[in-house]
Every structure is written in C-alpha cells, then in structure tokens.
Amino acid sequence: MTATTETTTGIPDLYPSRGATEALTPRQDPVVWGAPDAPGPVDPADLLSFERDGFLAIDELITEDEVAVYRNELNRLVHDPDMRADERSIVEPKSKEIRTVFEVHKISEVFARLVRDERVVGRARQILGSDVYVHQSRINVKPGFGASGFYWHSDFETWHAEDGLPRMRTVSVSIALTENYDTNGGLMIMPGSHKTFLGCAGETPKDNYKKSLQMQDAGTPSDEALTRMATQHGIKLFTGKAGSATWFDCNAMHGSGDNITPFPRSNVFIVFNSVENTAVEPFAAPVRRPEFIGARDFTPVQ
C-alpha cells in the first residue's frame, strides 16, 4: 500500500518528495491514457512500446525544409538583444550565451504553428487520452566546445513538487534541429524507469528555479539511487538527424552530458499536459515557479 499525504488544497499527494530521505513510490497512474485503438498518428505497436519503455523515437517528425525554418527562427531568437534581456532567456554560465528560451510558443508564431501541428499535438492527445495544453515550451541551444549538460532527473518530480501537477499525465517531445550524434551531449533515458517515482531528499529553496535552470540541485537523485536504477534499467542514448524526435514520459529518468565537440546540438522542447490534470498549488515548494516555466493558462491546443 502506498502512503499519501494531504495537501493544503485537500488533494492527495500520491508522489511525496523533497522530504528528509529519498523514497520510492510505485507509479499510481497509467502511462498511456488513451485507448489502444484510439485514432491518431501513433500506431498500436508504438503505443505498447511507449508504455513499456517510457519513450518513443521517431526518425523524421518534420522534414528537412521545415527544420531549416525552425532553425532560422531559433537563431533569430538567441541573437536578439531584446530576447537576451528577457527573463524567459537562460544564459550559459561559462560562455554567457543564451542556452534556453522559454515560452517560445507565445514568443514566436513559427513555434506556435509547430505546437498546433497534428503530427505533434495529435500524438500528445493520443498518449494522454484527452485535449492538452502546453505546460512548458522552450528552445535549447547546446553549442560546441563546452556547453553544459543537465544532470539526471525526472521532470515530473519537479513539475509535481514545484508546479503542482497532481498526476503523471504529461508527455514531452524533443525535436532535433541539428544532428544528434553519440558524442555531442545527446539525451539519455533509463528505459522503464518511468514505472517508479523517486522522491528526492531535501527541502525546496524559495525561487529555486533561478539556480536549477542552470545547475540542478533540489530534486536531484542520489548517486546510490541512480546506480540502482541504471543497473536495473540500463541507459539509452538518442541519436538522429535533424527533424527526428523523441517523445518521453514525464517520469522517465533522463539527463544529458556536456557538449565538448565542435558540433552544436539544438532542439525545441514541448511539454503537453492533459486538461484533466491542471496544476494546483506546489506539493513541495514554498511558491509556484513563474508561469513561463509552469503554465497556468490551461487553454487547449487547437
């Protein structure tokens, strides 16, 4: 039997985290919420694979010509002086260049069209079994020669603790805008790790996001827990040409290494959440994160 706690809003906390010690909780939610035979761009065999592994890789989600359009828009944004001064831009600690721009579907109509593309939002609706809204969107820029990686973590641990998402009914897609080699800091996932929630130890500092977006601290699993999980599940490294994409479950343990090659790695990252799983108050943080990181606009994508 899984222990739960009661929040101030009266909603049970099915996934306790940020306590005195780490705690493992079996997943209480489906992985694929939609019916196996529901119409959509994901075929039943791939849905079963997503259920088992917690991810789905697609060789070509968008075409080469479309990649060029999105990459030009990414370059425009990261070289825009006004964008650099915007709080939605995160700067690389070493190079002082823009590393991430959040809320790109609101900043850019080009990326807004990508969010509405049925090849993208249709897969999210199919996996989550409902209409969806964008919980978070961003472009990630990982130039060569030393761009920092991101340490192992479960997105849901943060979105639950700091944004107030109650259930695991959220899915992400990372669309490559440059080639992902096995050497330039690509995405790594532990297959099957999404079936167990790892509640991390330690309280959440106020305005933790200001530090965590550059270097994760609160919500970071211990070396011992990561060793156990990697031994049990293994690690899958994703490679692919520009235009390829990786869909992954919100609770999949994942991370990426530094990029010390000359070859940049850039992608657009979209998080879809079910309209039946809208955010409440944070489950383990003193205040909400800003809305450009954890949306409070639950308007369905149309």
Side-chain angles (χ1 to χ4, degrees):
M1 183 174 180
T2 302
T4 62
T5 58
E6 195 79 9
T7 66
T8 55
T9 58
I11 298 175
D13 182 358
L14 299 180
Y15 301 104
S17 191
R18 312 286 172 98
T21 59
E22 284 184 323
L24 292 173
T25 302
R27 187 183 184 113
Q28 306 295 298
D29 294 309
V31 177
V32 176
W33 290 73
D37 57 351
V42 188
D43 66 43
D46 283 341
L47 282 177
L48 286 173
S49 175
F50 186 86
E51 162 75 33
R52 181 189 67 238
D53 297 328
F55 60 79
L56 178 63
I58 299 170
D59 290 337
E60 184 182 282
L61 181 67
I62 58 176
T63 67
E64 187 175 333
D65 289 344
E66 290 171 313
V67 167
V69 171
Y70 296 123
R71 191 156 57 203
N72 286 339
E73 181 68 352
L74 178 149
N75 289 332
R76 182 187 72 81
L77 291 173
V78 299
H79 292 103
D80 182 345
D82 291 337
M83 199 67 252
R84 183 181 178 83
D86 194 296
E87 66 173 344
R88 291 171 290 188
S89 296
I90 308 301
V91 174
E92 176 72 31
K94 295 178 182 177
S95 68
K96 305 302 180 183
E97 297 299 320
I98 289 180
R99 161 183 178 151
T100 300
V101 178
F102 281 92
E103 215 171 44
V104 289
H105 71 295
K106 291 190 175 181
I107 294 171
S108 163
E109 177 54 34
V110 173
F111 285 113
R113 290 197 299 270
L114 179 62
V115 166
R116 297 191 298 265
D117 191 309
E118 189 61 24
R119 293 169 296 178
V120 177
V121 69
R123 283 178 164 86
R125 293 191 191 108
Q126 196 176 356
I127 291 169
L128 300 180
S130 69
D131 281 335
V132 297
Y133 70 94
V134 176
H135 176 69
Q136 184 185 106
S137 72
R138 64 181 190 261
I139 49 173
N140 290 330
V141 183
K142 189 179 274 192
F145 300 116
S148 301
F150 212 80
Y151 200 66
W152 291 104
H153 63 287
S154 153
D155 286 329
F156 180 76
E157 194 280 337
T158 297
W159 298 338
H160 182 70
E162 300 186 39
D163 296 339
L165 295 191
R167 311 294 293 264
M168 293 181 183
R169 199 170 180 179
T170 314
V171 67
S172 302
V173 60
S174 175
I175 305 172
L177 299 182
T178 55
E179 185 155 358
N180 284 236
Y181 301 102
D182 58 3
T183 53
N184 65 341
L187 175 69
M188 297 180 287
I189 295 179
M190 297 185 188
S193 60
H194 62 303
K195 296 292 185 74
T196 304
F197 176 74
L198 178 62
C200 296
E203 292 186 359
T204 310
K206 186 177 180 181
D207 290 339
N208 177 57
Y209 76 95
K210 293 180 180 178
K211 179 180 179 182
S212 68
L213 294 177
Q214 291 186 331
M215 186 64 67
Q216 185 88 347
D217 187 9
T220 302
S222 69
D223 291 352
E224 293 77 14
L226 289 171
T227 300
R228 288 194 302 270
M229 295 181 78
T231 300
Q232 178 182 355
H233 300 294
I235 295 173
K236 165 72 174 175
L237 170 65
F238 292 88
T239 60
K241 294 188 178 296
S244 63
T246 305
W247 290 85
F248 57 102
D249 179 81
C250 59
N251 191 47
M253 189 64 66
H254 66 288
S256 64
D258 295 350
N259 181 13
I260 62 171
T261 75
F263 310 115
R265 176 181 173 265
S266 299
N267 68 308
V268 55
F269 183 83
I270 307 163
V271 181
F272 293 101
N273 188 41
S274 169
V275 296
E276 299 172 11
N277 187 47
T278 53
V280 295
E281 291 305 307
F283 285 85
V287 295
R288 303 173 181 176
R289 297 196 298 175
E291 292 193 26
F292 66 83
I293 301 175
R296 296 279 160 170
D297 177 357
F298 309 134
T299 305
V301 176
Q302 302 291 349

